[in-house]
Amino acid sequence: MRDWQALKERYLRDDLPKRMGNLASNLARIKSRCQNVANGELVESLLQESKLFIEWTAKDAEIEIAAKLVELQIQLACWQYSWGRIWEDAEQRISVGEQGRIWSEKVLNMSGLLAVN
């Protein structure tokens, strides 16, 4: 069992852009891990961790960004709810991975980490 409280404390030490960058990184890992059927439990864990990252981040974000993050959190919860069925279907698994990649790019763009100073 993961120590979610320790993870939360560590995660919240970072500023908002870095937290969102970490969320984007998690979503990118979902994409890469969906390519191997042996990674089902790992991806399911990444879904849970990403939902928590959103919970810990959205409250500090601007309202438009928070709304997008909540939309993503709902999508992650839907995937998690149907995870057994999704994981057994290669087409659905690849689709989840692709959607994870798209969300990763959106979150990274929203983070401001890519902005040129």
Side-chain angles (χ1 to χ4, degrees):
M1 187 75 191
R2 298 232 15 212
D3 184 350
W4 296 113
Q5 186 59 37
L7 178 64
K8 179 180 181 179
E9 290 170 8
R10 217 172 29 252
Y11 184 76
L12 290 175
R13 287 184 202 137
D14 293 328
D15 61 15
L16 183 62
K18 189 167 183 180
R19 282 187 266 159
M20 290 183 64
N22 288 332
L23 173 58
S25 179
N26 253 26
L27 297 167
R29 281 194 294 278
I30 289 170
K31 159 67 173 154
S32 67
R33 300 303 189 257
C34 277
Q35 296 172 11
N36 184 336
V37 73
N39 292 330
E41 287 183 29
L42 174 61
V43 175
E44 190 170 16
S45 175
L46 288 168
L47 293 173
Q48 179 62 29
E49 186 176 87
S50 296
K51 285 179 9 188
L52 290 170
F53 283 180
I54 292 168
E55 180 181 323
W56 302 332
T57 300
K59 65 181 178 60
D60 297 326
E62 294 176 16
I63 191 71
E64 298 83 11
I65 291 173
K68 285 289 187 191
L69 291 175
V70 169
E71 179 184 340
L72 170 57
Q73 190 177 42
I74 291 167
Q75 180 63 69
L76 294 169
C78 288
W79 289 338
Q80 200 173 28
Y81 178 77
S82 302
W83 194 243
R85 183 179 44 79
I86 289 171
W87 197 254
E88 294 304 317
D89 183 324
E91 190 173 306
Q92 287 187 49
R93 188 173 62 248
I94 298 303
S95 176
V96 165
E98 184 58 24
Q99 290 175 61
R101 179 195 63 78
I102 291 166
W103 272 109
S104 175
E105 291 174 6
K106 286 180 184 179
V107 171
L108 188 56
N109 284 327
M110 288 187 293
S111 76
L113 291 171
L114 299 177
V116 178
N117 293 339

